[in-house]
Amino acid sequence: MERLQKVLAHAGVASRRKSEELISKGHVRVNGTVVKEMGVLVGNSDLIEVDGVPIYREEPVYFLLNKPRNMITAVSDDKDRPVVTDLFPNIEQRIYPVGRLDYDTTGALILTNDGELSQLLMHPKHQIDKTYVAKVKGMIDRKSLNRLEKGVVVEGKKTAPAKAKILSADRSRDISMVELTIHEGRNRQVKNMFQAIGHPVEKLKRESYGTLTLDGLQPGEWRELKTFEIYQLRNAATQNDTTN
Ligand code: URA
């Protein structure tokens, strides 16, 4: 569900502030009833009208991108650096990334114009598993993995339980490859977790997001999600709701 004023703004009716004005002045109906208070939540199936005219809501679209390195997870950048939506030049809908990957991180990133699903997926209580492969400095041992799995303190707060596995270790280069699955989405979380155990990340890739993997996608390539994949994502987010 999304706030009514945000949906109006997204649909191009008016700016967020002007949309709030339209609401408070009684111009907006939701499912036939005038709504004047702020903060009302609406979903994809609600009929929204402004002065009796239904608003046009874009057809929801869903993509999985294999984000390349050196690209910002945003729709625009004030310093004119490349952003992930540059890779979708022919898509008319106003899509945006769900969550973020760092500039130098590669891998699975969902882009959509479905604000409702996007919020569901990003909410920490919904616990979508995200699996990363990190190339880290040093020879990592079982004890360090246990620390990652149990949770380490990052910026004053312990991370939630995770799953970790050593994929390979190269003593001559003093490098380990580690797979880490987490369901939180704090800023720079994976890098901070490895930093906390004394193994800084040199390279990071998100291999999967929920059940979605990068199979068949080279960096910079994307594909549309299939209906069952969207269903699975929505289901995973609602089933894992720890407040239910
Ligand atoms: N954790 C990080 O540290 N960076 C990312 O890009 C994603 C998760």
Side-chain angles (χ1 to χ4, degrees):
M1 304 285 273
E2 274 192 291
R3 284 171 190 275
L4 181 56
Q5 59 267 44
K6 191 169 167 193
V7 172
L8 292 175
H10 242 142
V13 171
S15 67
R16 189 86 63 94
R17 204 179 52 78
K18 285 265 181 233
S19 297
E20 287 177 357
E21 245 177 75
L22 288 171
I23 295 170
S24 64
K25 288 186 177 159
H27 291 275
V28 182
R29 283 175 192 264
V30 176
N31 301 325
T33 306
V34 173
V35 167
K36 285 189 173 178
E37 65 274 23
M38 282 315 122
V40 167
L41 298 175
V42 289
N44 287 337
S45 58
D46 289 312
L47 173 66
I48 301 161
E49 294 161 288
V50 178
D51 292 330
V53 180
I55 65 163
Y56 168 71
R57 296 167 94 184
E58 284 176 345
E59 184 72 11
V61 285
Y62 308 85
F63 302 99
L64 174 66
L65 167 70
N66 185 350
K67 177 193 170 292
R69 283 166 82 80
N70 303 340
M71 196 164 249
I72 305 213
T73 306
V75 295
S76 64
D77 180 54
D78 50 10
K79 296 193 191 101
D80 245 5
R81 288 167 297 183
V83 293
V84 286
T85 45
D86 293 345
L87 296 166
F88 296 78
N90 299 321
I91 301 296
E92 292 168 4
Q93 290 89 344
R94 278 166 293 186
I95 55 170
Y96 47 86
V98 176
R100 68 183 286 277
L101 291 175
D102 296 333
Y103 187 67
D104 58 352
T105 301
T106 61
L109 183 68
I110 296 173
L111 291 100
T112 182
N113 57 350
D114 181 342
E116 199 178 340
L117 182 66
S118 172
Q119 283 192 0
L120 269 181
L121 293 174
M122 281 197 287
H123 201 293
K125 76 181 181 194
H126 293 142
Q127 313 204 343
I128 304 288
D129 276 348
K130 283 146 277 203
T131 298
Y132 295 85
V133 171
K135 177 179 172 189
V136 303
K137 187 97 195 99
M139 304 304 290
I140 208 159
D141 57 14
R142 186 65 241 174
K143 205 167 140 211
S144 305
L145 285 196
N146 286 346
R147 287 183 62 200
L148 288 179
E149 293 197 321
K150 286 200 182 118
V152 287
V153 177
V154 165
E155 284 160 359
K157 191 168 168 251
K158 195 167 170 188
T159 57
K163 281 181 234 145
K165 185 161 106 186
I166 300 176
L167 299 177
S168 63
D170 183 339
R171 197 167 287 281
S172 62
R173 288 163 62 220
D174 197 29
I175 285 291
S176 307
M177 299 296 294
V178 185
E179 185 184 276
L180 181 68
T181 302
I182 60 171
H183 61 251
E184 293 173 299
R186 289 155 63 181
N187 230 2
R188 296 176 61 85
Q189 174 154 354
V190 174
K191 290 178 186 163
N192 286 339
M193 286 174 76
F194 280 103
Q195 188 71 42
I197 59 161
H199 292 278
V201 170
E202 296 200 339
K203 239 180 175 182
L204 187 61
K205 177 178 184 184
R206 182 152 72 190
E207 288 281 0
S208 64
Y209 188 105
T211 51
L212 299 172
T213 67
L214 292 170
D215 282 355
L217 291 180
Q218 294 303 312
E221 290 183 349
W222 52 263
R223 67 173 177 86
E224 243 183 288
L225 292 187
K226 303 197 166 62
T227 308
F228 81 90
E229 292 173 320
I230 302 160
Y231 178 81
Q232 274 180 344
L233 279 176
R234 192 169 279 123
N235 231 11
T238 40
Q239 270 179 9
N240 292 341
D241 190 334
T242 46
T243 59
N244 278 340

